[in-house]
Amino acid sequence: MRTATMPAASPCIATASAAMTPPQAQSPSATDTSPQQAQPQPDEALPDSLPPDQLLPALKYWRERKQRCARAFGPAKASGSDLGPLKAEMQAITLKLAELQSRLDATTPVVDAGHTPPARADIITAAEATCTVDVPWVTPADLEYAASAIKDVPDWQAFVDAHPEATLYHDARWMRLMTDVFGHAHHALTARHAGTLVGVLPLLRQRSRLFGDFLTSLPFVNYGGALGMSQAVEAGLMREAGVLATRLGCRHVEFRDVVPRAGWPTRSSKVSMRLALPGTDEALWQRIGTKLRAHVRRPEREGATTRVGGRELVDAFYAVFSRNMRDLGTPVYAREWFSTLCERFEGQVAIVVVYLREVPVAAGLLLRHRQQVEIPWASTVRTYNPLGLNRLLYCRFMCFAIEQQA
């Protein structure tokens, strides 16, 4: 399944969805068996009666299996292997852990860990009471946290590549890009258990006289937030971000998250729109219907043409984008942002430009990550809006996405 994510039609609506469609990644199974001793498989049923003293060791075993399974995503993806069996195994292990957790809850009283958090930034305090711990042997109190420069976390990228719910914005290159172009200090927040990286949270510090001093994961883009091996790890990272914000003197922390977090203050003024793409241009053309096809063809009848490229189209894209932002009264990013983005993420960035009599009149930038294509920046010259250039632009975006995934 391919998906295209695009901003809402209104220029004042950005994207920050409450639910995320997992990428359709594929890889061989990561079962780790020994020739001397057969290991239990994820689809094996648990015994009806498991002694209480064996529950925690069993949980630890299956948790380690889940970590090995997660680490196998990166190499499998790099080799082009089918990730289907690996995803099925991950789901089976998750169900196994849930069953063991349920049995443990039925036999073990709830014990307060007695963790008293230090004072936090104001937006953090509203969420202190809620932390869903889905794997009891790894709790936030068991973890070691560190906020570093991304260059000092050599295993960050491997963790992100292996995690099935990572976005392009969790990539180590993204924090470097934002620091290099915008000058914002970044903090690569990590969680480790017994030295093993089990969670990451990218943070950028923004300071301005108008808006104040705060941390964001991540600014200028649609997604970010904590990425961990469990909900407990992610909850711990988010609370630790509050500790960091307080230590730095920041007013608040903002997570542009795709996972609902019970107990945290949320904002629902932003949306994202997702569309599952068919396998061919012809199927897409049939799906959009007669009326919309007529709207797409109209600018072409007026002589509009489209070009798809990369860095060579930055100037044409920026001419349209900066003009539209000016007309909207919105500060515009520097041209360097887009040119450097195209350079550092070459192969994952594409620019589509619509021309009318060789003049760029509509343009957008597309980002590809795994099985998802996103359009974070798109604009048209409002003088030509009656021609419906945006429909041609987005149709060309979707056709390009289909071509790339074929």
Side-chain angles (χ1 to χ4, degrees):
M1 170 89 57
R2 307 167 185 86
T3 62
T5 304
M6 60 195 72
S10 169
C12 65
I13 300 179
T15 62
S17 65
M20 175 178 174
T21 304
Q24 301 269 330
Q26 316 57 31
S27 136
S29 171
T31 50
D32 183 9
T33 58
S34 166
Q36 289 81 21
Q37 180 179 2
Q39 301 286 348
Q41 298 301 309
D43 56 354
E44 291 180 8
L46 289 172
D48 291 335
S49 179
L50 196 63
D53 61 345
Q54 293 184 19
L55 288 174
L56 283 176
L59 276 164
K60 183 174 181 179
Y61 169 79
W62 287 110
R63 180 56 179 159
E64 291 170 349
R65 283 285 296 276
K66 187 174 182 180
Q67 289 180 333
R68 290 199 299 271
C69 187
R71 287 194 294 267
F73 273 84
K77 182 175 179 290
S79 66
S81 302
D82 180 10
L83 280 173
L86 185 57
K87 290 178 68 178
E89 180 179 58
M90 180 70 83
Q91 292 171 353
I93 292 174
T94 301
L95 291 174
K96 189 81 68 179
L97 285 167
E99 184 179 352
L100 285 165
Q101 169 73 71
S102 177
R103 293 191 185 185
L104 187 67
D105 290 344
T107 59
T108 306
V110 176
V111 179
D112 186 355
H115 174 60
T116 303
R120 311 295 170 91
D122 55 0
I123 201 169
I124 299 298
T125 56
E128 286 303 328
T130 301
C131 173
T132 302
V133 180
D134 55 347
V135 182
W137 68 277
V138 176
T139 68
D142 296 326
L143 302 176
E144 296 178 355
Y145 302 101
S148 314
I150 189 62
K151 65 181 179 62
D152 297 325
V153 191
D155 48 353
W156 179 291
Q157 192 60 45
F159 181 87
V160 169
D161 289 341
H163 201 291
E165 295 186 11
T167 71
L168 181 65
Y169 308 119
H170 289 96
D171 193 298
R173 294 172 293 172
W174 201 267
M175 276 187 288
R176 295 191 189 102
L177 175 65
M178 287 191 161
T179 296
D180 292 346
V181 175
F182 294 116
H184 297 309
H186 71 259
H187 300 273
L189 187 59
T190 58
R192 295 182 184 274
H193 182 266
T196 300
L197 186 63
V198 295
V200 299
L201 174 57
L203 293 161
L204 267 289
R205 186 179 185 182
Q206 297 174 270
R207 289 190 282 186
S208 74
R209 293 180 179 178
L210 181 61
F211 299 108
D213 186 353
F214 54 96
L215 294 175
T216 307
S217 181
L218 281 160
F220 315 129
V221 296
N222 301 321
Y223 307 114
L227 199 65
M229 298 299 292
S230 72
Q231 292 181 14
V233 172
E234 293 173 354
L237 280 166
M238 293 170 73
R239 288 201 302 275
E240 192 65 21
V243 175
L244 176 63
T246 300
R247 186 165 68 245
L248 294 173
C250 298
R251 294 178 57 188
H252 67 265
V253 184
E254 178 179 336
F255 304 102
R256 298 190 175 181
D257 213 330
V258 296
V259 179
R261 308 284 185 181
W264 291 81
T266 60
R267 191 173 59 181
S268 58
S269 58
K270 299 184 179 183
V271 300
S272 68
M273 297 182 292
R274 294 171 183 270
L275 177 69
L277 298 177
T280 65
D281 292 354
E282 293 77 12
L284 174 66
W285 199 240
Q286 290 299 318
R287 179 191 290 182
I288 64 178
T290 304
K291 183 176 181 180
L292 187 52
R293 287 200 297 268
H295 285 301
V296 171
R297 289 190 176 109
R298 183 187 174 189
E300 292 180 322
R301 291 196 299 268
E302 298 291 335
T305 59
T306 59
R307 298 177 194 170
V308 182
R311 281 183 290 176
E312 72 279 7
L313 293 180
V314 167
D315 286 341
F317 162 81
Y318 195 72
V320 176
F321 182 75
S322 60
R323 179 175 175 178
N324 187 50
M325 293 298 104
R326 180 205 65 189
D327 292 345
L328 293 171
T330 302
V332 65
Y333 304 136
R335 180 192 177 282
E336 180 191 3
W337 165 251
F338 299 105
S339 60
T340 309
L341 173 61
C342 289
E343 177 184 344
R344 297 193 186 181
F345 287 85
E346 187 175 5
Q348 292 178 272
V349 180
I351 294 175
V352 177
V353 181
V354 179
Y355 294 85
L356 194 62
R357 292 180 289 278
E358 294 303 311
V359 176
V361 291
L365 187 146
L366 174 150
L367 295 175
R368 293 191 296 121
H369 180 64
R370 297 178 180 172
Q371 295 294 98
Q372 182 168 299
V373 176
E374 183 181 353
I375 309 168
W377 299 288
S379 289
T380 61
V381 176
R382 63 172 57 192
T383 306
Y384 299 97
N385 282 353
L387 295 179
L389 297 170
N390 60 316
R391 296 184 178 93
L392 175 60
L393 178 67
Y394 278 91
C395 186
R396 188 65 190 92
F397 268 133
M398 290 186 286
C399 290
F400 175 75
I402 292 171
E403 293 165 7
Q404 293 300 300
Q405 298 294 336

